[in-house]
């Protein structure tokens, strides 16, 4: 019986020894994953704010005379380019002709009163009356000239025509016009946009701050501009302030009404930038993460993405620091704690 007991103990010892060898072999078969790493460095990049906005013409005029009357002739059509001083619309001249005849008669009386006043042969009251009548008549002629022959106030393009030759302009909005007008003209070689910025940026954005506009219509092109006006008040309801942006448009590639993204450049900042291929995405979510080499083992770190620079992307995380070794090749095979084999 003692012999059997001894044999049982020996058998158990042999089995335990075999089991220990098996576990040790299993541990030894966990192979290190070959990867490549890149040491992270801080890069000086431009700090920007991204907002969206609709573009407007730098100047827009709903052009109409100050008085009602019959339209003699409209010299332009929608789409025509105009030059400053060009004749656009001519109204009926009847009132102007009558005013010019009256001015000519009063001019004769005015000249006679001036001569008599020089010799002291006219009373001051009569002289003042002649001068006043002449100046009023002259101002009336100037007014009618301006409103009979309507000249272009700036270089631009005709964007609306609401009447035809011979029709009566009544002083009311007509034909789809937003305001009382015969035609609408706009200056589009310079555009503007209005953006409402969060109040925390009030000191960062100033007149002259550089901006860039991006439009989906021109995916490979950016348009430079500047902040032209910073409004001096903050809206207490939205906690925002308004800025006006001017964007040169000499080739007229952009048009009023277009929609775009405006980047405000408010200085420079140092940040960690890494190859975009090193960033992995958790399946079924928008969560992003990377792997770092930590003592020969993979460490998974959650990150947020900042600005993108071609094939590089800004990494935002409190766990990532300058000098860390980022795994840039082989990261797809890793889990947190995987042993690593660093290759050149």
């Amino acid at each position: 019986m003692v012999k059997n007991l001894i044999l049982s103990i020996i058998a158990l010892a042999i089995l335990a020894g075999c089991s220990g060898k098996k576990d040790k072999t299993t541990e030894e078969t966990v192979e290190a994953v070959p990867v490549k790493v890149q040491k992270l460095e801080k890069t000086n990049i431009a700090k920007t704010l991204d907002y969206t906005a609709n573009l407007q013409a730098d100047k827009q005029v709903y052009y109409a005379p100050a008085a009602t009357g019959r339209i003699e002739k409209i010299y332009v059509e929608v789409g025509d380019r105009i030059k400053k001083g060009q004749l656009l619309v001519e109204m009926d001249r009847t009132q102007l002709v009558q005013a010019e005849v009256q001015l000519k008669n009063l001019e004769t009386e005015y000249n006679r009163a001036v001569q008599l006043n020089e010799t002291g042969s006219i009373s001051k009251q009569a002289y003042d009356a002649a001068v006043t009548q002449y100046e009023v008549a002259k101002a009336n002629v100037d007014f009618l000239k301006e409103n009979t022959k309507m000249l272009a106030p700036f270089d631009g393009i005709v964007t609306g025509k609401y009447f035809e030759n011979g029709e009566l302009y009544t002083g009311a909005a007509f034909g789809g016009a937003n305001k009382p007008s015969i035609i609408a003209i706009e200056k589009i070689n310079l555009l503007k946009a209005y953006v409402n910025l969060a109040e925390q940026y009030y000191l960062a954005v100033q007149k002259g701050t550089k901006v860039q506009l991006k439009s989906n219509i021109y995916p490979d092109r950016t348009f430079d501009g500047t902040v032209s006006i910073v409004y001096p008040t903050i809206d207490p309801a939205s906690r925002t302030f308004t800025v006006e942006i001017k964007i040169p448009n000499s080739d007229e590639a952009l048009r009023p009404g277009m929609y775009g993204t405006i980047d405000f450049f408010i200085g420079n900042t140092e940040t960690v930038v890494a190859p975009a291929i090193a960033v992995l995405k958790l399946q079924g979510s928008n969560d992003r993460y990377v792997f770092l080499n930590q003592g020969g083992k993979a460490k998974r770190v959650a990150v947020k993405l900042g600005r993108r620079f071609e094939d590089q992307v800004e990494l935002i995380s409190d766990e990532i620091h300058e000098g860390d070794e980022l795994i840039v090749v082989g990261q797809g095979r890793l889990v947190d704690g995987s042993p690593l084999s660093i290759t050149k």
Side-chain angles (χ1 to χ4, degrees):
M1 182 174 179
V2 173
K3 184 178 179 180
N4 290 338
L5 180 60
I6 293 172
L7 289 174
S8 297
I9 292 172
I10 292 172
L12 289 171
I14 292 171
L15 287 173
C18 291
S19 176
K21 288 181 181 180
K22 184 177 180 181
D23 290 344
K24 186 177 180 181
T25 303
T26 302
E27 287 181 3
E28 290 176 350
T29 58
V30 178
E31 295 183 359
V33 180
V35 297
K36 291 184 179 180
V37 299
Q38 175 180 310
K39 188 167 289 189
L40 292 175
E41 297 179 351
K42 285 190 175 180
T43 303
N44 192 11
I45 65 171
K47 188 177 181 181
T48 63
L49 306 173
D50 298 338
Y51 284 82
T52 56
N54 293 315
L55 298 177
Q56 302 178 26
D58 180 51
K59 293 181 181 179
Q60 182 183 47
V61 174
Y62 288 91
Y63 214 9
T68 60
R70 188 175 64 85
I71 301 170
E72 191 72 31
K73 187 171 184 180
I74 302 173
Y75 290 92
V76 291
E77 294 290 340
V78 174
D80 286 355
R81 299 186 179 278
I82 59 174
K83 293 291 184 180
K84 183 177 180 179
Q86 177 181 338
L87 179 60
L88 303 179
V89 179
E90 190 168 8
M91 302 294 290
D92 181 76
R93 291 175 51 84
T94 302
Q95 291 185 21
L96 175 59
V97 171
Q98 292 174 349
E100 286 176 333
V101 171
Q102 183 182 15
L103 176 62
K104 190 173 182 180
N105 293 332
L106 290 173
E107 186 176 11
T108 302
E109 295 296 327
Y110 168 75
N111 291 332
R112 182 182 299 113
V114 170
Q115 292 176 356
L116 292 173
N117 185 58
E118 290 176 353
T119 60
S121 303
I122 188 174
S123 67
K124 187 176 185 307
Q125 183 178 4
Y127 171 76
D128 290 343
V131 171
T132 299
Q133 290 176 357
Y134 171 74
E135 289 179 347
V136 169
K138 187 175 183 301
N140 187 43
V141 168
D142 292 340
F143 171 80
L144 290 173
K145 282 183 177 179
E146 183 179 346
N147 286 277
T148 299
K149 291 190 174 183
M150 300 168 56
L151 309 180
F154 51 76
D155 294 351
I157 187 170
V158 179
T159 57
K161 179 183 176 184
Y162 311 111
F163 286 87
E164 297 296 335
N165 296 339
E167 291 187 324
L168 180 67
Y169 172 69
T170 61
F174 182 78
N178 293 330
K179 298 178 181 179
S181 57
I182 295 175
I183 59 173
I185 55 179
E186 297 184 19
K187 180 180 180 181
I188 65 173
N189 60 2
L190 181 66
L191 298 180
K192 63 184 178 183
Y194 293 94
V195 180
N196 295 324
L197 303 180
E199 67 173 335
Q200 67 190 86
Y201 304 119
Y202 190 78
L203 298 180
V205 177
Q206 302 175 356
K207 182 177 180 179
T209 296
K210 301 298 182 183
V211 304
Q212 278 190 342
L213 170 75
K214 298 175 183 177
S215 170
N216 291 334
I217 297 178
Y218 303 104
D220 300 323
R221 185 175 176 185
T222 59
F223 301 86
D224 295 328
T226 56
V227 174
S228 54
I229 298 175
V230 177
Y231 282 67
T233 59
I234 294 176
D235 185 342
S238 63
R239 293 298 175 190
T240 61
F241 65 99
T242 303
V243 297
E244 180 190 79
I245 292 135
K246 292 290 183 72
I247 301 168
N249 187 39
S250 57
D251 62 352
E252 297 183 1
L254 299 171
R255 295 303 173 100
M258 282 186 178
Y259 177 82
T261 301
I262 297 178
D263 297 335
F264 293 78
F265 294 93
I266 59 173
N268 294 314
T269 185
E270 283 194 339
T271 188
V272 174
V273 177
I277 58 171
V279 182
L280 302 175
K281 182 180 178 182
L282 188 63
Q283 189 173 4
S285 74
N286 286 323
D287 295 339
R288 310 298 175 101
Y289 62 94
V290 297
F291 283 103
L292 301 179
N293 172 29
Q294 189 175 65
K297 291 187 176 181
K299 179 184 178 183
R300 175 172 163 170
V301 177
V303 298
K304 291 184 178 180
L305 304 185
R307 297 194 67 203
R308 191 179 183 100
F309 309 90
E310 297 180 353
D311 61 342
Q312 303 285 310
V313 66
E314 179 186 5
L315 299 182
I316 302 173
S317 172
D318 293 336
E319 298 183 64
I320 290 181
H321 306 91
E322 187 176 19
D324 288 344
E325 290 188 339
L326 175 71
I327 298 172
V328 295
V329 175
Q331 66 273 23
R333 299 172 54 192
L334 300 176
V335 294
D336 196 37
S338 295
L340 303 176
S341 173
I342 310 299
T343 61
K344 296 290 184 180

